[in-house]
Each structure stands twice: as C-alpha cells, then as structure tokens.
Amino acid sequence: MPRVAHSVRGRLRVRYPAPWLRPRCAALETRLQAVPGVRTVRGKPLTGSISIEYDPFLLAEGAILRTLRELEGELDRRPHALRRRARPRAPQPTSRAPLMQLVGTTSVLAATCCLPVPAALTTGLVLAACVPTFLRAGLTLAERRRVNGDVLEAATLGVLVVRRHHAAAALLSWLRAVGEYLVARTITTTRRSLIEVVAPPDVSVLVRRDGERRPLPVTALVAGDVVVVGAGARVPVDGTIVGGEALVNQQSMTGEALPVERREGDRVFAATTVEHGEIEVRADRVGLDTAVGRIVRTIQAAAGEKSRIQVFAERLADREVLRTLGLAGAGAALSRSIEAGTAILVADYGLAARVGIPTALLTSIKRAAGHGILIKGPGAVENLARVDTVVFDKTGTLTTGVPDITRVIAYGGLDEDELVRLAAAAEYGLRHPIARAVARLASARRLEVPHPSAAETSVGLGMDVRVEGRRVLAGSRRFLESNDVDVDDAKDDESAAHAVGAAPTFVAVNGRLAGLLVLQDRLRDDAAAAVRALRARQMRNVIMLSGDHPEPTRVMAESLGLRHHYAEFLPEDKARLVRELKAEGRVVAMVGDGVNDALALAEADVGISVPGGAEVATEAADVVLLEGGLDRVVRALDLARASITSVRRTMGIAARANLAVVGLASFGLARPVASILLSHGVTVGAALVTAARGREVAGVKAPS
C-alpha cells in the first residue's frame, strides 16, 4: 500500500490513502521512531503522507519500505496490538457551560429564597432553571423508552413546582449544577495540570533570533526556534543541539540516572534537565508534539472517559428509580402526606455516580502527575486499583539497564579490539543496554567504530549487519544458531558467565563464531524494596521475565526472593504469559521499558512503562513513569487504590444519606428541603472534599 512520493538519500516520503492512515498514523509514527537508524517521523493524516528522515549508513530505503509493509499488515490484522481497547466515552465537557448553568441556578436560588419576588415570577424562574433536566428526561424517554435518574429528577422537580415548593426545586437544580460544574472543573484542571508537565505557562525561555537572545514564553515556541538552555534548566522541546555542550540528565527519556554528555548534532528531549554547561537546541517538536507531550495528549483525551465502575453505578442507580417511586408512594400512604412522598423522591443514587466517581478518579490522575506518574484515563486508574499480579521485565526494569562488559573472549585468531570494534558496529545507533555497553567499551579503548552499510534487527535476539564487506552477527546463542553458526567453542566460557549471573553476547563474522562478550548487569538499588512493598500489598504473585539465559535470570530472581521467573522469553512469549495469567482470573500489571515489552504491555490489564522506556513501550502502556525508581510503581498502585477507597466512601455516604431520607420522610420527619440537603448536599459535599485533596498538589512537579 505505501507509495513513494519523494526520495533522496536520508529522506523518504510515502503516501497512503488518507482514510486508512488517519486512525493508524500515531501508531505508525511510534513504531517507525523505534526502528534503529530512523531519526524523525512526521505523519500528516489529512494528506495521507509520512515523512521519514534516517541514517543512510545504518538503514536502507528498502528496509524502511519492508518495515512499513509489515506494520501495515500488523495494524490491519491486530488493530489493538499497540493501542488500548476502546473505552466507553462520555461527552468531553468544558467548564464554561456548567459554569453558566451554575450561575443561573444560583441566581434563581437567591431570588427564590432571599428576594420578595412575586409567586408567578418565582415559578417562571424555577421552571427556567429546570429546563435542562426536563430536556434530558424527554430525550431519554424518546430515545431509550425507559425510566432513569434523569426522569426521576424531572418528575421530582415537576412535583415540587406543582406543590409550590419553589425553594426546594431551586435548591435541587442548584446542587445538580454544582455537581456538574465540579466534574467539568476537575476534568479541566486535570488537563491543565498535565500540560504543565510539558509547557508550564509561567515559564519563559531564551530564544536566539536574528543573532540576539530574547525571552519568550515556552507556550509560544514553534518548530525551528533555537532555544538556549543553561545549567539547572529543563529542555522545553525535542530537538537537535546546534551549539554548545552540556551534561544532560535524561532519566525521564532513557532511564539513566547519571547525566550524559551532549554536544552539537546530538538529540535532546523535552522534560530532561541540563545539569552543567549550556546548549542551543533547534526545536524539532514542541508542546504536545514532543515525546512526553504525546503521552499527555493521550491522557487529556481520556480524561472525560467513563470508567467501568461509573457505568455500572449509573446503571444500578437507574434500576433503583422504580423502587424509589414505589417507596415514595408507600411513604405517602404510610404517613398520609404527599409531602412525605415528595421528600422520598429526592433520594437519588445517580448523583453520587455522576459526580463522586469521576471526581475521585480524576483527582488521583492529577495527584499522580505531581509524582511524575502519568495515568492514561479513569479506566486505567480503576484497573490499576484491581491489580493482584505484577510481572516485571528484568533488563532495564529490575536491573539498572546499564551493564558493563567484564570480559572479552576472542576465537579464531581475531584480537579483542577487532572483536569489540565489529560488535560496536553491529550495535551502532541502538539504545538497547547491550549496545550502550559495547559503545562505552569501544570508546574506552579508543577504537574507531565503522558504520554498518545495512542492518536487520531481530527484536529480543540480535543484529545482522554488513561491516566493511563482512557479515557480522551479534546477539544470543539462539540467534546465532538460527543463522547456522556453530557456538560449541564458547560452551565452557558461556557456562562460567552464567555461574556468576552474567549474560554472554555472541559475535560471529562471515558465518563463524568470532567471540564472546560477557555482560554483568546489577539490580536497581530499590528493586528488592519494591518487591517487598508489593508483597505487603497482598499481591497474588510477583513474576520476573527475561530474554536472557536461565542461569543469570535464576541468580537475580533468588536475590530478590522471587520464586516465579522465566528466561529466554521472546516478546510474543511475554504477551502469551500475560494472556495465560489473565485467563486464570488475575488482574495483571506488566512493568517494562523496551520495544520487546510492548506486546506484553498492551496485553496486560495495566501496562507500566518505567523511566526511559522506548516510545513504542510508552505508547502501549497505561501508566508512564517519568521519573524515580520502582517505588513509583508502588506509589501508582497506592494512589489508584486510594481513589477507589474514596469512591466507595462517597457511594457509602450517599447510600446512608438516601436511606435516612427514606426512613425520616416515611414517618413525616423530613420535608423536601431537608431531604434534598441530606441526600444531594451530603453527596456533593463529599465530592468537594475529594476535589480539595487534589489541590494539595497545586503545581505539577517538573520531572528532573
């Protein structure tokens, strides 16, 4: 399907039918950006084109087109492979319309209760305030032909107006408006707080224009601007350094806690921090188009979604409507008072579902963002709170992801430096921990690393490249054996490496084993504490997965006290295990960081991408950690569980208040105004308390 529209060395533009590309553009961009050698990808869904800039020394045009065809087939066959399942969506409100309704109902309530307004005018004002409710009820009866909470509320307001309880009717409309405004306001402030992760509105940056440096609000930056970033400042854009050099803390993008040196020609990312030096960065992507911004944009879009618990609660409340009507009739008969029946009518469980649940879930999203935890919508919060099984990827997640090469073993007459040089060429341009370890060793030995002329990646296994006319394979034993390379000469050295928990990487040249690189990774300092904390939270199981050999995997699992661990797992094996755990009735969280974790992250009930996760991993995940260690996984679970506790508390308060209304009104001890204050007032008050807790995180802390 892809048609080449324009091609020069290092740059390619392909076209698709716009209707096909539009829903798949984001997934294609993310997957292409993860391909070794691809520098930038820009999709234009309206025109049906994708522009790709790549390193011609590392990647050939034909390889890109083959990748596009593979991705095309994958997205057609498995449309949800790297996108989360569609969730029930609610309308995406802004706070303006609910605010106007709140102002209107407040005015009517004040006029009804405090001003000497003629009775006819009072009736008109109250009816005007009730119009939105009457319209909702009419629409429900016309379209769904059933009775629900909107119909009950409209009936209650109608009875109150007919009985001339104008103050009660105005109070009921006002409390409904307060609840709707609270939800809309919570959605708006949550979205706004998320934007501050990318572009704080009160922050200015220095921009070089016409040879001069001038301050400019970060929100006014556009692609092509050259931004000056000094020590202690955050990089506000994804871009390329065009001047200067600095030490940059890139933990939010690469997971490495130590700052790395960046100079002219290197790429830097938004939400990273310059710790020393000064750089000038040409902006390639700004705001919500940056890597972090695209995550934020996803969460903003999901902020108005309804969680399953809210949908269930609303349905349950609708089922209670007929019972409420029956109780109202029985209460009126028992007390021989229409007033008592009217008081019972206001016992509505729907307000708690519409207001209390979204307020609690959105507040938890906002609080999580303040801890550098981005949760993609209320549905993700709900699933996170239910998690009872946590699956960790090993490399880069439980380990530091920064292994060191502790031993170099050459075979067949090749010297160590030549072996390291060829291995570094095979891994050139990759962000995988092994590739970085080889590059560090080559740099330490001052070796000149050649660029490969062609490369093919087998995710989770190894690299197949051409270097200086030779075919070089670098990867696992399985990878070399699948390419008909005999590795028996390395059998003893491989066993010795496994015995100390190290992982060997094999290198072959022109079909013959050339050497072995022994890599030693170490556990994160907080890995054991995180496992203990999860167990303290009564997880059914904590599991470790690895693509490495079983022996080093076993050594690390035992040091963490994990009984369940699996080695030599390919990406599809990880996804399969997650499916099997879900089939057993478990709610599974998958924690990972790499391209080879993306399928499992998408398959899990909750995918969690740790700091520095690959773009494809953050795209597939439901929770993205921008900073910190594995303690953030535990913190995310705690925040989600706290939000569900808040939901249950609000629903419990509403249930008890409504039960009290029915009981008191049945014996003639509660009038309509008192019943409304007890039922709706208590529910709205509980939601206001929950929202106030969210304001404890007044400003979203910038990742550092």
Side-chain angles (χ1 to χ4, degrees):
M1 186 184 295
R3 178 175 62 84
V4 177
H6 176 73
S7 175
V8 296
R9 186 174 174 81
R11 189 180 303 118
L12 176 67
R13 187 168 78 248
V14 297
R15 289 196 178 278
Y16 286 93
W20 183 91
L21 180 62
R22 195 170 298 118
R24 299 168 175 84
C25 187
L28 277 173
E29 281 185 338
T30 302
R31 292 295 300 273
L32 285 171
Q33 195 69 55
V35 173
V38 172
R39 290 171 175 162
T40 61
V41 183
R42 293 185 179 87
K44 297 181 179 179
L46 292 178
T47 59
S49 71
I50 293 183
S51 299
I52 306 161
E53 293 185 7
Y54 62 95
D55 185 344
F57 294 101
L58 183 61
L59 193 61
E61 179 182 309
I64 296 175
L65 293 175
R66 283 195 300 273
T67 300
L68 285 171
R69 283 191 287 270
E70 291 171 2
L71 292 176
E72 171 197 330
E74 179 180 330
L75 292 175
D76 283 340
R77 289 191 308 272
R78 302 172 62 186
H80 302 299
L82 293 174
R83 300 197 306 271
R84 305 310 302 162
R85 299 174 185 84
R87 304 177 176 97
R89 286 188 176 271
Q92 303 289 312
T94 63
S95 57
R96 182 174 300 176
L99 177 61
M100 296 302 295
Q101 186 176 347
L102 178 61
V103 170
T105 55
T106 302
S107 302
V108 171
L109 181 63
T112 303
C113 298
C114 305
L115 299 177
V117 180
L121 180 57
T122 300
T123 301
L125 288 172
V126 171
L127 286 173
C130 298
V131 165
T133 301
F134 293 146
L135 290 176
R136 282 193 297 266
L139 191 62
T140 297
L141 291 173
E143 291 185 353
R144 303 181 185 178
R145 300 181 184 276
R146 63 183 178 85
V147 176
N148 67 357
D150 291 327
V151 176
L152 175 64
E153 185 177 356
T156 304
L157 287 170
V159 171
L160 290 173
V161 172
V162 169
R163 300 286 300 172
R164 296 183 180 275
H165 291 303
H166 295 137
L171 178 63
L172 183 58
S173 296
W174 180 74
L175 285 172
R176 170 70 183 248
V178 169
E180 291 183 349
Y181 174 73
L182 177 60
V183 173
R185 180 67 179 169
T186 304
I187 292 174
T188 301
T189 55
T190 299
R191 289 173 174 164
R192 192 172 298 155
S193 67
L194 288 165
I195 290 178
E196 292 179 10
V197 173
V198 182
D202 55 345
V203 171
S204 294
V205 295
L206 285 177
V207 177
R208 179 165 59 80
R209 288 182 177 173
D210 302 325
E212 296 182 357
R213 296 182 176 184
R214 62 186 68 174
L216 194 70
V218 69
T219 52
L221 292 175
V222 297
D225 281 340
V226 176
V227 183
V228 181
V229 189
R234 279 204 313 164
V235 179
V237 299
D238 287 356
T240 305
I241 298 176
V242 295
E245 57 183 52
L247 291 176
V248 182
N249 187 322
Q250 300 190 126
Q251 186 183 25
S252 62
M253 296 305 299
T254 67
E256 295 183 29
L258 296 177
V260 294
E261 187 176 349
R262 287 290 176 261
R263 53 172 62 91
E264 188 173 343
D266 291 335
R267 294 195 68 199
V268 289
F269 301 93
T272 60
T273 305
V274 173
E275 295 199 351
H276 181 71
E278 182 179 276
I279 51 176
E280 294 185 349
V281 182
R282 185 188 66 241
D284 297 328
R285 294 178 178 176
V286 300
L288 295 181
D289 289 327
T290 62
V292 173
R294 288 197 296 275
I295 302 169
V296 169
R297 190 164 51 191
T298 300
I299 302 173
Q300 286 183 310
E305 293 177 352
K306 288 186 180 182
S307 64
R308 285 193 303 274
I309 190 173
Q310 182 179 351
V311 172
F312 175 79
E314 288 181 355
R315 288 175 179 170
L316 188 63
D318 288 345
R319 292 174 188 169
E320 295 291 321
V321 169
L322 291 177
R323 190 171 74 171
T324 300
L325 292 172
L327 286 172
L334 180 66
S335 63
R336 297 181 181 180
S337 168
I338 295 177
E339 301 297 310
T342 304
I344 293 175
L345 281 177
V346 305
D348 177 18
Y349 295 88
L351 186 66
R354 293 189 301 269
V355 176
I357 294 175
T359 300
L361 297 181
L362 289 169
T363 297
S364 70
I365 292 175
K366 184 163 64 173
R367 295 182 68 187
H371 296 286
I373 304 167
L374 301 184
I375 305 177
K376 297 182 181 178
V381 176
E382 180 187 356
N383 288 339
L384 191 60
R386 296 168 50 239
V387 164
D388 59 18
T389 300
V390 179
V391 179
F392 284 101
D393 173 57
K394 180 175 77 70
T395 304
T397 304
L398 286 173
T399 67
T400 61
V402 190
D404 291 318
I405 297 175
T406 57
R407 190 180 178 196
V408 179
I409 308 166
Y411 306 108
L414 200 68
D415 65 49
E416 289 187 8
D417 284 352
E418 182 66 7
L419 176 65
V420 172
R421 197 174 74 91
L422 293 176
E427 304 280 359
Y428 179 79
L430 299 183
R431 289 177 55 194
H432 190 277
I434 294 176
R436 292 200 292 264
V438 178
R440 285 197 303 272
L441 181 60
S443 176
R445 295 191 176 198
R446 301 183 182 277
L447 302 176
E448 185 176 345
V449 178
H451 290 194
S453 58
E456 290 186 9
T457 305
S458 182
V459 176
L461 291 175
M463 291 292 300
D464 181 350
V465 303
R466 303 289 299 184
V467 181
E468 298 175 340
R470 291 178 285 184
R471 184 190 182 196
V472 179
L473 303 175
S476 66
R477 164 189 277 272
R478 186 191 305 181
F479 179 61
L480 265 66
E481 289 180 338
S482 68
N483 284 275
D484 300 322
V485 177
D486 183 359
V487 296
D488 284 346
D489 288 348
K491 189 173 182 179
D492 292 340
D493 293 322
E494 181 185 18
S495 298
H498 289 158
V500 296
T505 290
F506 296 83
V507 181
V509 178
N510 291 334
R512 298 187 63 180
L513 181 67
L516 189 71
L517 305 179
V518 179
L519 290 99
Q520 188 86 43
D521 201 355
R522 62 181 179 85
L523 288 169
R524 289 180 183 264
D525 293 337
D526 58 353
V531 171
R532 288 195 300 271
L534 290 172
R535 284 180 169 160
R537 284 153 179 79
Q538 299 179 335
M539 292 292 142
R540 289 176 62 181
N541 211 343
V542 182
I543 300 169
M544 185 176 79
L545 305 181
S546 174
D548 293 341
H549 190 276
E551 192 60 24
T553 301
R554 181 190 62 79
V555 171
M556 286 199 172
E558 288 181 351
S559 68
L560 290 171
L562 296 177
R563 290 180 299 168
H564 295 87
H565 52 88
Y566 301 86
E568 294 186 335
F569 260 39
L570 296 174
E572 52 268 29
D573 296 325
K574 297 178 181 180
R576 174 181 50 77
L577 178 65
V578 170
R579 282 195 299 272
E580 290 172 355
L581 291 169
K582 290 169 62 179
E584 294 175 7
R586 304 189 186 203
V587 182
V588 182
M590 172 69 194
V591 188
D593 73 318
V595 174
N596 57 348
D597 300 321
L599 288 176
L601 289 168
E603 190 67 48
D605 294 290
V606 181
I608 303 176
S609 173
V610 299
E615 280 194 57
V616 68
T618 58
E619 173 77 17
D622 297 285
V623 180
V624 179
L625 309 182
L626 290 183
E627 62 179 13
L630 295 177
D631 63 305
R632 291 299 197 275
V633 175
V634 181
R635 180 72 59 84
L637 286 166
D638 288 345
L639 287 171
R641 289 182 174 184
S643 71
I644 298 301
T645 299
S646 179
V647 165
R648 289 172 177 163
R649 182 169 55 247
T650 300
M651 298 299 290
I653 289 172
R656 288 190 290 272
N658 285 322
L659 184 62
V661 165
V662 173
L664 292 173
S666 297
F667 294 99
L669 300 177
R671 294 304 181 200
V673 169
S675 296
I676 291 169
L677 288 173
L678 183 58
S679 176
H680 289 63
V682 167
T683 300
V684 171
L688 285 169
V689 170
T690 300
R693 288 174 181 163
R695 285 193 287 272
E696 293 173 5
V697 188
V700 175
K701 184 173 58 177
S704 59

